[in-house]
Amino acid sequence: MAVSEDDLRRRWSDGQPCHGLWSTLPGAVTGEVLARTGADYVVVDLQHGAVAEAELPGVMAAITAAGSVPLVRTRSPAFPDVGRPLDLGARGVIVPNVRDADHAREVVAASRYAPAGGRSIGRLSGGADQPLVIVMVEAATALDDLDAVLAVEGLDGVYVGPGDLSLSLGLTGEEHREELRGVLSSIVARAGAAGVPVGVHAYGGEEAAGYAAEGATIVTVAVDASSLREVVTRHLGVARGHPEPDPG
């Protein structure tokens, strides 16, 4: 059964986790294959992925037809970078590099038509009039201003980027793993207390389940490129007679 952005909103408001996938590989077929897994949403990464902007209409349509909600991680929080994926069929955006609450308000305005915002009418494909708008907490300044960010009107959620946040906080490396995990847990707890859906970028099912148990509702389970590499590497190992040890 197909999932819509309004279905995600309803489930988040009820505290139910939605599970999604992150896509960095190009092509509509990639989007369709990911959506056919039963994922609630698929995020196409324009910031770091290999998908070209011109591919978006086809990729967004393929994800939608396969039953998932197509979202886009934008190139940047700049006004045109927020609106362009929405014109090309995205049902929502996850916006990186948001500095603070004022910046988050600018992002919301860029995604809404007047009088609620300043989005220009020029849609080329079947996007949403009220798209999902999620800002990333991946900078120390955003973390410092988190309570104000969570209070921004029109925001559908916040999404934690553990990699960039660890860089911004100086918490890279295995020796800081537990401290960083504590920071992520505190963000989930603070967003939950504020009644704001919160997402965390996990790198596998077990980690994703842990975040969901803490209250995260926008739960990204895996990335297509790394998952493909891991599975193929494991199969090659088995074929060559030296499989990797079972992590369980």
Side-chain angles (χ1 to χ4, degrees):
M1 185 168 127
V3 182
S4 72
E5 63 272 19
D6 288 334
D7 292 328
L8 297 187
R9 282 192 176 101
R10 282 192 292 270
R11 288 169 60 180
W12 294 339
S13 68
D14 291 338
Q16 298 178 22
C18 296
H19 298 91
L21 301 172
W22 199 269
S23 181
T24 62
L25 299 175
V29 171
T30 299
E32 180 180 355
V33 168
L34 293 175
R36 287 191 181 280
T37 63
D40 297 309
Y41 64 86
V42 176
V43 182
V44 174
D45 190 343
L46 282 189
Q47 185 185 26
H48 295 304
V51 178
E53 186 180 89
E55 293 181 90
L56 279 185
V59 176
M60 299 293 98
I63 293 170
T64 301
S68 296
V69 178
L71 306 177
V72 168
R73 198 248 291 261
T74 65
R75 297 184 193 280
S76 80
F79 183 90
D81 285 343
V82 173
R84 183 68 169 159
L86 300 175
D87 286 344
L88 299 178
R91 311 300 296 187
V93 287
I94 297 179
V95 182
N97 302 324
V98 173
R99 299 183 301 272
D100 50 30
D102 287 339
H103 203 189
R105 277 187 280 272
E106 293 176 11
V107 167
V108 172
S111 71
R112 298 285 187 256
Y113 295 122
R119 181 181 170 192
S120 177
I121 295 176
R123 194 164 68 199
L124 294 174
S125 190
D129 289 338
Q130 292 291 321
L132 295 168
V133 184
I134 300 163
V135 299
M136 295 191 72
V137 177
E138 55 183 353
T141 55
L143 182 58
D144 289 342
D145 204 31
L146 182 60
D147 290 336
V149 171
L150 294 171
V152 170
E153 186 176 354
L155 198 64
D156 287 291
V158 296
Y159 190 93
V160 184
D164 283 335
L165 186 60
S166 69
L167 289 172
S168 185
L169 297 176
L171 296 178
T172 58
E174 190 62 30
E175 67 273 19
H176 296 296
R177 183 181 180 86
E178 290 303 316
E179 185 177 357
L180 177 63
R181 187 65 175 79
V183 172
L184 301 182
S185 295
S186 73
I187 295 172
V188 172
R190 290 168 67 183
V196 177
V198 58
V200 182
H201 197 87
Y203 295 94
E206 184 176 340
E207 187 180 35
Y211 287 128
E214 292 182 22
T217 51
I218 311 169
V219 185
T220 299
V221 176
V223 180
D224 57 3
S226 57
S227 296
L228 176 63
R229 181 177 62 250
E230 290 165 9
V231 169
V232 172
T233 298
R234 185 168 65 249
H235 284 308
L236 279 172
V238 171
R240 291 168 173 167
H242 47 83
E244 295 181 1
D246 186 343

